[in-house]
């Protein structure tokens, strides 16, 4: 599994951002190897982390080729003050205590 961590310092979101963001999310959800996402917000800094779960790098490459995703990446300065993407391969996962909610949503 691969985790894509999208760290953002949000700027101003307009209606066009929300429409494009919804289309990008729908494109991800339509892919067989997309496993879901989790979002965290830091109330002190407004920084947001969104972690996306993917089964393979090939799926990530396919998602990166989506026209709406490309458009969103080109226009990031309109909506974010800063962003950073980190792609991580999960080698192992273990623990107890989070129950069924610990797995990424499907």
């Amino acid at each position: 599994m691969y985790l894509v961590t999208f760290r953002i310092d949000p700027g101003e979101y307009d209606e066009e951002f929300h429409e494009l963001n919804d289309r990008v999310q729908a494109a991800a959800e339509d892919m067989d190897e997309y496993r879901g996402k989790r979002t965290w917000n830091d109330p002190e800094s407004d920084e947001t982390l969104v972690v996306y779960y993917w089964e393979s790098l090939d799926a990530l490459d396919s998602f990166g080729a989506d026209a709406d995703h490309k458009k969103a990446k080109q226009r990031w300065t309109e909506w974010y003050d800063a962003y950073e993407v980190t792609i991580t391969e999960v080698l192992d996962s273990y623990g107890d205590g989070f129950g069924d909610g610990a797995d990424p949503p499907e």
Side-chain angles (χ1 to χ4, degrees):
M1 181 175 297
Y2 292 85
L3 306 181
V4 178
T5 304
F6 188 50
R7 177 182 172 197
I8 59 173
D9 182 6
E12 297 295 323
Y13 298 158
D14 57 18
E15 185 176 331
E16 191 172 1
F17 166 84
H18 291 291
E19 291 172 1
L20 184 58
N21 191 59
D22 289 347
R23 290 196 309 267
V24 170
Q25 183 61 40
E29 290 172 2
D30 284 345
M31 299 187 71
D32 289 337
E33 294 188 67
Y34 173 75
R35 295 295 174 247
K37 71 177 184 177
R38 294 272 193 246
T39 303
W40 294 269
N41 297 292
D42 181 350
E44 293 181 19
S45 70
D46 290 332
E47 183 178 297
T48 301
L49 292 178
V50 184
V51 178
Y52 297 90
Y53 299 80
W54 294 88
E55 283 295 319
S56 73
L57 288 176
D58 288 339
L60 282 173
D61 287 343
S62 294
F63 178 61
D66 176 79
D68 284 326
H69 189 212
K70 285 182 176 181
K71 183 177 179 180
K73 288 192 294 188
Q74 292 170 345
R75 297 182 62 189
W76 77 268
T77 58
E78 295 176 43
W79 301 306
Y80 302 123
D81 291 337
Y83 85 99
E84 175 183 89
V85 175
T86 304
I87 300 171
T88 308
E89 182 178 12
V90 177
L91 301 177
D92 195 4
S93 178
Y94 57 89
D96 190 20
F98 286 97
D100 292 335
D103 294 328
E106 292 196 37

